[in-house]
Amino acid sequence: ILGLAVVTGPVCANDETPMDAVVIMDSSGSKKKTDPNELRKPAAKLFITLLESEDSVSVVSFSDNAYPVTFLTRLDTEINKNRALKATERISSKGVYTNLYAAIKKGMELLKDSHSNQHQPTLILMSDGKMDVGNKEKSVELQGKIFTELLPEIKKNHSRIYSSAFTTDSDQALLQEIAEATDGRYALSASDDVLHKVFAKLFEQS
């Protein structure tokens, strides 16, 4: 599993290329066990805080399905940035299922025009990676479609997925495989201190 030391590659845009980022946050009930301290919320806030005024961000919540809490909005005012930060607080751990397929698909849809508009499309996936839609066969089918349908399209659109889990009781192998299929990276943020180092490192190496 990739750790902090090997998280490499650009995450945010350079001075000439604004970034469009979709922060996808798991709201399934399993997060009570796999993120008991709700570290995904300060992680999302840190990521949003590090974005520049030319960048845009959307916050997406997912469990059985994926729902934009905020749509892609440029962070050119304090009001817009504060709205994005507050959106992370609306993420719960009350969902019944973990539909990673729907989550990634929604993120992809929100970023569909980014590259053509000369913006860098980026997906930040915060989840335990435990694909579950209430039916084992359907869960396996949808997990397969992530790799056969979604990830090739994401890579074709010059987007990357950066995934993160918050305890070792997560499907780290799946989250890493999803990220690396788009030339992105996976990292485990198991504590508040590590969380800040991980996300700061991502920006330092961009």
Side-chain angles (χ1 to χ4, degrees):
I1 300 303
L2 295 181
L4 174 63
V6 290
V7 177
T8 60
V11 175
C12 62
N14 58 34
D15 291 340
E16 298 179 354
T17 308
M19 177 164 60
D20 287 348
V22 177
V23 181
I24 305 172
M25 303 178 69
D26 195 334
S27 295
S28 61
S30 61
K31 296 302 289 181
K32 294 176 183 177
K33 181 179 180 181
T34 57
D35 185 17
N37 297 319
E38 296 192 322
L39 292 176
R40 64 196 183 283
K41 293 183 179 181
K45 287 180 179 178
L46 177 60
F47 179 82
I48 293 168
T49 299
L50 291 172
L51 294 174
E52 301 291 341
S53 59
E54 302 85 23
D55 301 324
S56 297
V57 70
S58 168
V59 176
V60 170
S61 171
F62 81 97
S63 55
D64 61 319
N65 210 332
Y67 311 90
V69 182
T70 61
F71 287 90
L72 206 59
T73 303
R74 186 175 173 182
L75 301 178
D76 53 355
T77 67
E78 284 301 312
I79 291 175
N80 287 348
K81 179 161 279 194
N82 287 333
R83 185 178 291 119
L85 291 169
K86 289 179 180 178
T88 66
E89 292 295 335
R90 296 171 60 184
I91 305 301
S92 70
S93 299
K94 298 179 180 179
V96 178
Y97 302 118
T98 306
N99 191 340
L100 287 168
Y101 176 87
I104 295 171
K105 184 177 181 181
K106 179 59 66 176
M108 185 174 71
E109 290 172 353
L110 290 167
L111 294 174
K112 64 180 180 179
D113 296 324
S114 293
H115 185 68
S116 60
N117 292 331
Q118 297 185 325
H119 291 193
Q120 174 59 48
T122 303
L123 293 165
I124 306 297
L125 176 62
M126 300 181 179
S127 177
D128 55 28
K130 296 187 175 183
M131 181 73 182
D132 177 19
V133 296
N135 178 288
K136 187 174 182 179
E137 290 184 359
K138 187 66 174 177
S139 297
V140 171
E141 177 188 351
L142 288 176
Q143 183 168 313
K145 285 185 175 181
I146 290 175
F147 291 92
T148 60
E149 294 181 4
L150 301 185
L151 301 187
E153 189 67 21
I154 286 172
K155 190 171 182 179
K156 179 182 176 182
N157 291 335
H158 306 278
S159 183
R160 294 180 181 181
I161 295 177
Y162 294 85
S163 59
S164 181
F166 299 92
T167 67
T168 54
D169 188 21
S170 301
D171 192 338
Q172 298 186 74
L174 176 60
L175 291 172
Q176 178 178 338
E177 191 176 359
I178 288 172
E180 291 186 345
T182 65
D183 296 327
R185 295 293 183 268
Y186 164 78
L188 176 66
S189 305
S191 70
D192 186 64
D193 287 343
V194 172
L195 178 155
H196 282 78
K197 291 177 182 178
V198 165
F199 281 87
K201 191 71 172 178
L202 292 176
F203 276 81
E204 287 175 7
Q205 295 181 341
S206 66

